[in-house]
Amino acid sequence: MPDIEYAATLWLRARHPGVRVVNELPSTLEQVMPLLLVAVVPGGGDDGVSGTAVLDVQTFAATRTLMWQLADGAHESMLAMRGQLAGGLAVDDVETSLLPGFVTYNNPAVRRAVASYRLTRRAPVRA
């Protein structure tokens, strides 16, 4: 089955050149910011025709200003996935579950915002 986490990662990479988009945080986070972390979190389901998944998109930057600029851009990009083909998946709908919000990070050199989205995709055809 195509991977919604991977599809969203590819989508964000294409829309945010110069920003690292990953599924796991690197150990050298401070040296590779700005960065977006895309991760499927618990929730969602499917009915055999379509499926939903909940994705968190975390934004990491050196300043609050840069964090907010990237978080706002990532939010617009996630909503733009609606009705698009991304990473081999037909994304029918994107709903914001949690708007981007500041969340402290245990490192004074890092600012983080977190947002959550519910994506509806068509289930792949099984032979």
Side-chain angles (χ1 to χ4, degrees):
M1 174 182 291
D3 182 344
I4 191 72
E5 184 178 87
Y6 182 65
T9 299
L10 293 177
W11 179 262
L12 289 169
R13 281 182 186 154
R15 294 182 59 98
H16 298 276
V19 174
R20 182 174 276 202
V21 183
V22 299
N23 303 115
E24 292 186 38
L25 283 179
S27 60
T28 58
L29 177 60
E30 300 87 359
Q31 287 85 40
V32 296
M33 294 186 298
L35 182 140
L36 294 170
L37 172 67
V38 179
V40 171
V41 297
D46 70 62
D47 62 8
V49 176
S50 61
T52 60
V54 180
L55 288 173
D56 275 359
V57 177
Q58 297 187 39
T59 303
F60 295 87
T63 68
R64 283 180 75 94
T65 299
L66 292 172
M67 176 203 72
W68 284 122
Q69 289 172 347
L70 182 54
D72 288 343
H75 178 69
E76 290 176 17
S77 292
M78 289 301 296
L79 294 179
M81 281 183 75
R82 182 181 292 125
Q84 300 297 315
L85 188 64
L89 289 178
V91 179
D92 292 322
D93 196 21
V94 178
E95 176 186 323
T96 305
S97 297
L98 294 171
L99 285 167
F102 176 75
V103 177
T104 58
Y105 192 74
N106 196 22
N107 181 332
V110 177
R111 304 298 180 272
R112 173 176 62 168
V114 177
S116 291
Y117 303 90
R118 180 176 291 273
L119 279 70
T120 303
R121 52 132 176 98
R122 280 177 244 156
V125 176
R126 294 189 174 97

